[in-house]
Amino acid sequence: MTMVVGARGLADQKARQGAARRPYRPNLALLRALVGVVFVAIWTFVAYFYGSNFIPSPAETFRSAMRMMSDATIPTALASTVYVFVVGYLLAAAFAIPLGLFMGGFRIFGAAIEPYVDALSAMPRVSFIPLIIIFLGLGYEAKICVVFLGAIMPILLNTYTGVLNSDADLIEMAHASGASEMQIFQKVMLPGALPYIIAGMRVGAGLALINTVVAELYTAVQGLGGLLSVYGNTFRMGPYFVVVILLAIIGLITMRSLKALERRLTRGYARTRI
Amino acid sequence: MNDHVPQAEAFPAGSAAISIRNVSKWFRRADNANPVHALKNVSLDIAPNSFVSLVGPSGCGKTTLLRLLNGLIAADEGEILVDGKPPVRGPHMGLVFQSIRLMPWRTIRANVYFPLELMGVAQNECVERANFYLSMMGISKFGDAYPHELSGGMQQRAALARALISQPAFLLMDEPFAALDAQTREFMQIEVMKIRENLKGVVVFVTHSVDEAILLSDQIVMMSPRPGQIAEILPVNLPQPRWDHDVRARKEFVELRAHLWDGIKAMVVNDPESEFYQRDRLGPRMSTPSGG
């Protein structure tokens, strides 16, 4: 018998023993594919039931997608939407994370602006759109601004909460070891807030995507949101479904990448991951 | 042992590594009512290279005294001198806590070299010295593991390595083994005794365990609660080293243990605020069932 070195080795061995004892371990990838197949089957049945004027069949949707690919409708719209989404979202994170850290680091400042942040976070961001149009027009700047405002609050509030919830025992330990206030912030409070920040970024990503579509509907009609409005109003359900599926795929890719990032950054946090 | 000479007078001024003179400390309560008198007129001299334990019931100010020595809090009255200077927090004071306080996002090795990193020591030297202390504590192979992957005893050994890595002249330990199971605790005591053989410096050790205090210390400071003050200072006259054989059967150990325990028990059962107030007598006798 080989010696298992290290706690991780032991944990692995335990996990393997646990798996061996169980009579059947489901294959997750297979299960997920199965769910997809069931979904497509239901879709086909409903499409057949209601007729393609209401619900296009998967095959019809696929044909629409091919057509929209070849005449560059999808690439153009997708590029525009992804651009607005990514720039607006990254700007939101770049603004919210430092501000949240600052609010948490300087408690009195954080407490002073907290009620305004709360008020803004509960407010429907759509109500800002007329104002944004007045100042920024109908182009990319206005759209990016809508996405920015939509995504900023969860990231800001989570970062702030993460810093406020930092471990007092660890801070005292660092303090006793001679750490400066800056070192405590950088080496104890910031890493402690990381799981909160990433959770906020996940929520923010969802809201950013929603607000991307909202912006494309309310400002210059453009991108996937614009196509949604055009096809929806003219009852061209095949292309309409293609756009809906594309939006779902963008959401899926974003959430999956953020989860992967979370796993990478919070490897040691097993107990504190939220 | 009422005729025992307090150690505070046994050392001429200036020769002590730590000198505590007439120190008092109050804590303000949240409701702003009467402040709690945590320490009252405490005077104590700790000789260079000695191992001193602070024992006493809860609320006797043991931990407060430790935090004063570290410079985490300041005394309201009196004076504390550590190596002739007022206490300053920093890497010259190794601190070990009951709650182990390893950072969950750092590997064990990175936790161990944290104090060096604060001092601005270069990364490769940090790693080198961390590896040395990891091997000293017998946890070399866990350097790359994360704290939650280790048992409580292993984690506390990592915390000890972290406290030792800056080669502190003073090691302050606040009930370090209270959260460990009885067996792990005994092995950790042996670890501390071995560390004492290798390293020069003062150790101040706070514990609730009378046995632990006798086993490890050169000197035991028994404190009494409300307000916290020094009740008695007792030398431990057991030969060193004590880790290679069991000293608990020796007459000196048994006598000292009985004396300390009697003292602590008396403080607890006579303290109206203690949960064991007047619990030193037999309760009402249960009546035997009739017909028995």
Side-chain angles (χ1 to χ4, degrees):
Chain A
M1 208 184 136
T2 47
M3 271 282 286
V4 180
V5 177
R8 206 181 301 242
L10 281 171
D12 283 351
Q13 199 183 36
K14 268 186 202 157
R16 256 181 271 121
Q17 282 169 350
R21 237 181 281 120
R22 238 183 297 157
Y24 168 68
R25 194 173 59 170
N27 182 333
L28 192 58
L30 194 72
L31 264 177
R32 283 175 173 167
L34 208 66
V35 173
V37 169
V38 170
F39 177 76
V40 172
I42 293 172
W43 178 9
T44 312
F45 174 76
V46 173
Y48 173 77
F49 192 77
Y50 282 102
S52 62
N53 284 340
F54 291 101
I55 309 273
S57 70
E60 259 180 83
T61 310
F62 184 74
R63 278 195 295 277
S64 300
M66 287 295 105
R67 214 177 312 122
M68 289 159 79
M69 282 300 283
S70 59
D71 67 5
T73 315
I74 287 179
T76 317
L78 195 63
S80 160
T81 297
V82 168
Y83 174 72
V84 170
F85 168 65
V86 169
V87 174
Y89 176 59
L90 291 183
L91 277 179
F95 185 76
I97 294 172
L99 182 62
L101 294 176
F102 195 74
M103 284 173 69
F106 297 88
R107 301 241 164 151
I108 193 72
F109 171 75
I113 69 167
E114 203 188 316
Y116 302 97
V117 172
D118 285 342
L120 214 60
S121 72
M123 203 165 155
R125 249 47 61 81
V126 188
S127 53
F128 290 117
I129 289 180
L131 194 67
I132 291 169
I133 291 173
I134 290 172
F135 280 99
L136 295 174
L138 297 164
Y140 280 115
E141 294 88 347
K143 290 186 177 67
I144 288 169
C145 184
V146 174
V147 176
F148 172 81
L149 286 177
I152 194 169
M153 283 309 163
I155 308 178
L156 177 63
L157 286 175
N158 263 44
T159 306
Y160 179 47
T161 310
V163 179
L164 287 188
N165 282 339
S166 39
D167 190 330
D169 279 357
L170 287 181
I171 292 174
E172 193 191 53
M173 181 278 296
H175 211 66
S177 310
S180 67
E181 294 299 321
M182 195 58 215
Q183 281 176 321
I184 286 176
F185 187 77
Q186 186 194 336
K187 292 177 191 294
V188 181
M189 295 168 100
L190 190 57
L194 196 59
Y196 290 84
I197 296 175
I198 293 175
M201 285 188 63
R202 281 225 300 259
V203 180
L207 286 170
L209 190 56
I210 293 169
N211 279 279
T212 304
V213 175
V214 168
E216 288 172 340
L217 290 174
Y218 279 83
T219 61
V221 170
Q222 206 180 4
L224 293 177
L227 290 182
L228 218 50
S229 140
V230 169
Y231 297 139
N233 292 338
T234 52
F235 298 104
R236 291 158 68 192
M237 299 319 275
Y240 179 86
F241 262 57
V242 173
V243 177
V244 170
I245 291 169
L246 278 176
L247 285 170
I249 291 171
I250 296 177
L252 180 72
I253 292 171
T254 311
M255 290 302 170
R256 287 276 135 182
S257 346
L258 282 170
K259 267 189 193 160
L261 182 75
E262 179 177 24
R263 264 198 299 277
R264 246 187 90 85
L265 290 178
T266 61
R267 218 158 72 80
Y269 290 69
R271 288 213 175 142
T272 50
R273 188 177 291 160
I274 53 167
Chain B
M1 287 211 196
N2 290 335
D3 55 347
H4 188 84
V5 183
Q7 205 64 47
E9 288 154 35
F11 286 97
S15 76
I18 296 178
S19 140
I20 302 167
R21 288 269 169 275
N22 308 105
V23 162
S24 292
K25 178 77 191 169
W26 285 266
F27 284 116
R28 198 169 296 285
R29 272 196 288 229
D31 54 8
N32 236 349
N34 299 334
V36 178
H37 202 170
L39 285 176
K40 184 186 173 188
N41 204 22
V42 169
S43 292
L44 176 69
D45 275 4
I46 296 175
N49 295 326
S50 62
F51 193 120
V52 176
S53 282
L54 309 177
V55 298
S58 302
C60 71
K62 309 185 288 281
T63 297
T64 305
L65 191 54
L66 206 68
R67 287 158 61 90
L68 283 167
L69 291 180
N70 183 260
L72 275 170
I73 53 174
D76 294 320
E77 279 172 16
E79 184 189 41
I80 296 178
L81 293 175
V82 175
D83 265 346
K85 295 179 289 283
V88 190
R89 62 193 178 82
H92 60 290
M93 289 259 189
L95 196 51
V96 181
F97 308 86
Q98 179 190 334
S99 55
I100 294 155
R101 305 193 187 182
L102 296 173
M103 289 177 273
W105 55 84
R106 283 177 166 244
T107 62
I108 291 296
R109 182 179 295 107
N111 266 291
V112 168
Y113 67 61
F114 181 65
L116 296 184
E117 188 182 305
L118 294 176
M119 294 160 73
V121 174
Q123 174 78 12
N124 55 350
E125 204 195 323
C126 282
V127 170
E128 213 170 284
R129 280 173 67 182
N131 287 342
F132 174 79
Y133 283 93
L134 285 171
S135 80
M136 180 172 154
M137 297 310 299
I139 48 174
S140 288
K141 61 185 179 186
F142 298 112
D144 293 316
Y146 285 92
H148 71 268
E149 296 172 300
L150 270 62
S151 68
M154 295 276 198
Q155 289 183 16
Q156 195 54 289
R157 276 197 255 176
L160 252 171
R162 175 178 64 190
L164 294 171
I165 197 166
S166 50
Q167 292 168 307
F170 301 90
L171 186 58
L172 310 178
M173 304 177 83
D174 187 3
E175 299 186 44
F177 310 140
L180 304 179
D181 65 79
Q183 190 183 306
T184 306
R185 184 174 189 150
E186 293 204 19
F187 282 109
M188 287 304 293
Q189 289 163 356
I190 293 173
E191 294 289 341
V192 171
M193 289 188 256
K194 289 196 293 191
I195 290 170
R196 278 285 293 160
E197 299 263 307
N198 288 330
L199 300 171
K200 291 269 165 270
V202 170
V203 184
V204 183
F205 193 96
V206 167
T207 179
H208 270 109
S209 162
V210 168
D211 289 61
E212 190 168 75
I214 304 171
L215 199 58
L216 300 175
S217 315
D218 302 321
Q219 198 176 43
I220 296 175
V221 177
M222 181 157 63
M223 299 180 69
S224 63
R226 281 174 268 278
Q229 46 196 327
I230 292 177
E232 212 172 333
I233 299 173
L234 301 147
V236 181
N237 297 315
L238 288 166
Q240 295 275 13
R242 300 173 192 158
W243 56 273
D244 53 355
H245 66 291
D246 196 349
V247 295
R248 280 171 287 201
R250 293 177 75 111
K251 187 165 148 283
E252 299 96 317
F253 189 101
V254 176
E255 283 176 3
L256 193 51
R257 188 188 190 291
H259 176 80
L260 284 164
W261 178 239
D262 283 347
I264 290 172
K265 202 168 87 182
M267 289 176 207
V268 170
V269 296
N270 294 323
D271 175 4
E273 287 186 51
S274 164
E275 58 184 303
F276 294 107
Y277 180 51
Q278 293 187 342
R279 295 303 293 166
D280 57 334
R281 50 199 85 164
L282 207 56
R285 193 187 287 263
M286 236 201 296
S287 57
T288 38
S290 55

